[in-house]
Amino acid sequence: MSDAASRIVELVRSGDLAGAEAAGEAALRDVPDDFAARAALANLRAMKGDLEGAEALCIGDSPELLRLKAWLLQSRGRNGEAADCYARIVAADPADWEMWNNLGNARHAGGDLEGAIEALGRARRLRPDMAPIQLNYAMLAAAAGRLEESVEAYEAVARLEPDNPIVPLELGRARAGLGRMDEAESAYRRAVGLAPGLAIAWLELGIVLERANRIDRLEPLLAEARSQGIAADELAYLEALLLREQGRTEEALALARRAPADVEPARRALLIGRLADSLGDSGAAFEAFAEANRIAAGEPAAARADPEAYRRRVAAMTARLTPEWLAGWTPVEPGSRPAPVFLVGFPRSGTTLLDTVLMGHPAVAVLEEEPILERVDAAAGGLDGLADLDSAATERLRDLYFAEAERLVPDLGGRTLIDKLPLNLLAQPLIRRLFPEARIVFALRHPCDVVLSCFMQSFEINDAMANFLDLADSARLYDLVLAFDRRCREVLALEAHTVRYEALVEDLEGEARALLYFLGLPWDPAVLDHRRTARARGTISTPSYSQVIRPIYREASGRWERYRAQMAPVLPLLAPWAIRLGYGDILEAGR
């Protein structure tokens, strides 16, 4: 520290702020490059609240001045400029964990989530013993949908702060997001053990029990929560779930409406919508579903999603899919292993009921919504890369597919592999390239029921699922995806079998027999007990988890008619599909 800087600090300590400022200004007139004096004067001005004056002094590459300037910029909401300063500091000193942490915070405040995660990742590697950095990283990784990384960081925080109940609460949320319900339940129980009065932890624990089909544990959980002094209103959501399970729908709806609107607001709105729908109050139900979607649209995942870009991609894929394009494919040798069966369909077309039926067959193994083809598609170079694949490249991609499948189903043996992921409907060109002999099971449902049901569900938001936050976007995506499927049927000549949802719920045995015949499998009556199969599955990772454990729900067929007024704006777009798919003229029926 220079003599001038020491003098400024001494005067500040003595309380002579005016003298300190005068000394600093004099020192800089004499020696403008005295960065220590400049920093001391800038700190003084910041202390006095003159942030603009302090920032004006922060010129040059002095690390101390850069730190101060970054802090000043961040304090004034200029996060992008602050991040630039922090980036200059860590470029010069990559071991400065504190500045990496600050860089992460500035980037996050400026809307750069991925950049923030990268910076905080550097900070946590430098200081793995710092719980606040680990916690920041875990929270941002969760917000970005990087749940595996989030779980790892939360587990690190739990080791550093074993008595902090918020850590297992957030860890439970991340584990639940990954479908690891046993581990999520354990984390939530740890949270309520540390803080018995933490109402949100009891709520999340109850939600996990329902998600994992452990509704029988909900009543004792509620009793335990009440004994810990959790207020009735704070437990109203869980009470409503239990009453719904008991068939006491009107009481459940009244309780759901009593639940605090600021606690799990999207789930509360969805539950109100489902209960009102069950009671036939379509207006209240639609309003509740719309509210749930408005809430979801305000979440970070929705802000990052681009539903319109996804629709443009589907349209571009359809345009590319021509007989001439297929004729230009390089011939390849067939694969040596039996091809999987692909269970596809527009979301909410009954694929979860179908895969649960198939799971009951001892000769079947079902992959439940694992994006294996997405990873294979990336390795193939997307649609553009398919034509030029030779036999060796195609076999490598098949090997990649089966390696992933065998990792997920290590005991496959000689069973038939059913790869169920609805929007693998869009992967039909890749399926045709790798497995031209593959059988496709196409789940079909009335287009109006499908679009309405998508609007009424909660999905993990990405570019595709963000379309379902808006009824018009849902209909637009349906139109584009079904147009793509129609083109695939015209061009690719894959072997497909259609299962209508409406027929499945009316004649489960007849449809199951026809499906097993198509798959070359012997009849087994175990496929008819889909409720037993669903309960044996434990956690079901799709929005249908609460439905497939119940008896066949015929009321969902034609439900859209009760919402004709709300759906009126999208009916002209869906009407041609209703006719093509054999459901009749929905516009004429309305008149």
Side-chain angles (χ1 to χ4, degrees):
M1 183 181 293
S2 68
D3 291 343
S6 298
R7 176 64 177 158
I8 296 167
V9 171
E10 182 182 336
L11 288 168
V12 169
R13 286 175 179 166
S14 70
D16 184 4
L17 301 187
E21 188 161 14
E25 290 170 350
L28 291 183
R29 282 195 297 272
D30 293 338
V31 187
D33 292 338
D34 187 342
F35 292 117
R38 186 176 291 277
L41 180 57
N43 276 304
L44 170 59
R45 288 183 175 171
M47 185 176 66
K48 291 172 62 180
D50 181 11
L51 301 186
E52 187 174 350
E55 183 189 334
L57 291 167
C58 296
I59 57 176
D61 292 325
S62 162
E64 187 174 359
L65 285 172
L66 273 176
R67 285 170 181 258
L68 179 58
K69 183 176 182 179
W71 177 81
L72 290 167
L73 290 166
Q74 205 167 355
S75 301
R76 301 172 70 191
R78 292 157 61 185
N79 294 293
E81 296 171 77
D84 289 341
C85 288
Y86 288 131
R88 288 169 63 189
I89 296 169
V90 296
D93 183 5
D96 192 335
W97 61 270
E98 189 175 8
M99 292 300 101
W100 279 113
N101 182 65
N102 290 356
L103 174 58
N105 292 334
R107 284 176 171 172
H108 180 223
D112 180 7
L113 184 59
E114 290 299 327
I117 292 170
E118 188 273 334
L120 288 170
R122 295 288 294 268
R124 72 187 285 259
R125 286 193 293 274
L126 289 166
R127 289 300 303 268
D129 59 323
M130 294 290 291
I133 294 175
Q134 296 278 8
L135 188 58
N136 276 351
Y137 181 86
M139 293 172 67
L140 294 192
R146 293 159 61 169
L147 295 181
E148 292 282 3
E149 297 169 50
S150 178
V151 163
E152 188 268 330
Y154 277 128
E155 288 172 344
V157 184
R159 291 190 292 271
L160 294 167
E161 293 187 350
D163 298 326
N164 183 347
I166 301 303
V167 177
L169 172 66
E170 296 299 338
L171 175 58
R173 285 172 167 157
R175 286 173 171 172
L178 289 168
R180 291 156 55 177
M181 297 303 177
D182 288 342
E183 296 174 52
E185 180 182 347
S186 175
Y188 288 136
R189 291 195 182 278
R190 171 69 177 163
V192 298
L194 290 169
L198 188 60
I200 188 63
W202 291 101
L203 177 61
E204 295 286 5
L205 177 53
I207 289 168
V208 156
L209 293 179
E210 190 232 2
R211 286 288 313 277
N213 298 328
R214 297 166 187 163
I215 200 79
D216 57 309
R217 300 187 192 177
L218 197 51
E219 194 161 8
L221 177 76
L222 285 164
E224 186 180 357
R226 290 188 207 100
S227 74
Q228 295 295 339
I230 304 301
D233 281 356
E234 291 177 308
L235 295 175
Y237 178 87
L238 296 183
E239 295 273 14
L241 288 180
L242 185 60
L243 289 170
R244 181 182 68 168
E245 184 66 20
Q246 295 169 349
R248 297 159 62 184
T249 308
E250 290 185 0
E251 296 170 74
L253 179 57
L255 267 178
R257 285 173 168 157
R258 267 180 50 196
D262 60 342
V263 177
E264 299 293 337
R267 282 197 180 111
R268 172 182 174 273
L270 278 171
L271 180 59
I272 290 170
R274 288 166 183 161
L275 292 167
D277 176 71
S278 296
L279 292 168
D281 189 346
S282 301
F286 193 87
E287 182 180 338
F289 291 127
E291 174 63 15
N293 286 333
R294 281 193 293 270
I295 294 167
E299 294 296 318
R304 295 192 303 274
D306 190 342
E308 186 177 356
Y310 189 82
R311 297 196 302 272
R312 288 197 302 268
R313 177 188 161 208
V314 176
M317 290 168 62
T318 306
R320 182 68 180 274
L321 197 57
T322 65
E324 293 76 19
W325 176 67
L326 182 66
W329 284 12
T330 301
V332 298
E333 295 295 322
S336 56
R337 284 176 283 192
V341 173
F342 294 94
L343 172 52
V344 303
F346 200 81
R348 305 297 301 161
S349 292
T351 53
T352 301
L353 175 57
L354 255 182
D355 79 22
T356 305
V357 167
L358 288 167
M359 279 181 188
H361 199 291
V364 163
V366 177
L367 273 173
E368 173 73 17
E369 306 216 355
E370 295 287 347
I372 299 180
L373 281 180
E374 185 178 315
R375 294 190 279 271
V376 175
D377 182 68
L383 205 62
D384 291 338
L386 294 186
D388 296 329
L389 293 174
D390 58 18
S391 292
T394 305
E395 190 60 22
R396 283 194 297 271
L397 293 172
R398 293 188 191 111
D399 289 343
L400 173 60
Y401 178 90
F402 283 114
E404 286 287 292
E406 288 162 5
R407 179 180 64 82
L408 295 162
V409 189
D411 56 346
L412 179 62
R415 291 182 294 168
T416 297
L417 180 65
I418 311 285
D419 186 340
K420 174 257 182 157
L421 202 163
L423 284 178
N424 271 349
L425 192 70
L426 298 173
Q428 290 182 81
L430 178 63
I431 294 170
R432 170 69 169 77
R433 190 53 155 155
L434 301 185
F435 309 110
E437 74 283 16
R439 286 162 290 185
I440 307 289
V441 178
F442 179 65
L444 180 65
R445 187 181 178 191
H446 194 298
C448 296
D449 277 329
V450 165
V451 168
L452 177 63
S453 187
C454 286
F455 181 74
M456 294 167 66
Q457 299 301 319
S458 173
F459 294 93
E460 183 178 339
I461 298 300
N462 53 30
D463 286 355
M465 299 298 107
N467 282 279
F468 302 141
L469 299 175
D470 179 84
L471 190 66
D473 284 349
S474 300
R476 293 184 189 106
L477 183 60
Y478 182 90
D479 177 58
L480 289 164
V481 169
L482 268 289
F484 177 84
D485 176 67
R486 174 159 288 229
R487 184 69 62 84
C488 287
R489 291 169 184 253
E490 293 168 352
V491 174
L492 299 179
L494 284 161
E495 189 177 0
H497 175 79
T498 297
V499 180
R500 287 182 182 266
Y501 174 79
E502 297 82 5
L504 186 67
V505 299
E506 288 297 331
D507 181 12
L508 177 62
E509 181 173 344
E511 291 298 314
R513 284 184 179 276
L515 176 57
L516 293 179
Y517 179 80
F518 171 71
L519 298 178
L521 294 171
W523 172 249
D524 192 310
V527 301
L528 300 180
D529 195 353
H530 76 281
R531 297 178 68 196
R532 178 193 60 78
T533 303
R535 285 192 292 269
R537 292 174 65 174
T539 301
I540 297 172
S541 61
T542 77
S544 305
Y545 73 90
S546 64
Q547 296 158 5
V548 295
I549 60 171
R550 295 184 170 87
I552 293 289
Y553 182 57
R554 292 178 174 82
E555 290 81 358
S557 296
R559 173 168 53 188
W560 75 272
E561 287 278 12
R562 293 195 284 111
Y563 294 86
R564 180 178 281 275
Q566 291 87 352
M567 295 192 70
V570 303
L571 293 184
L573 183 59
L574 300 177
W577 288 112
I579 292 171
R580 287 176 196 144
L581 299 173
Y583 290 101
D585 187 345
I586 59 176
L587 299 179
E588 182 63 31
R591 290 191 283 269

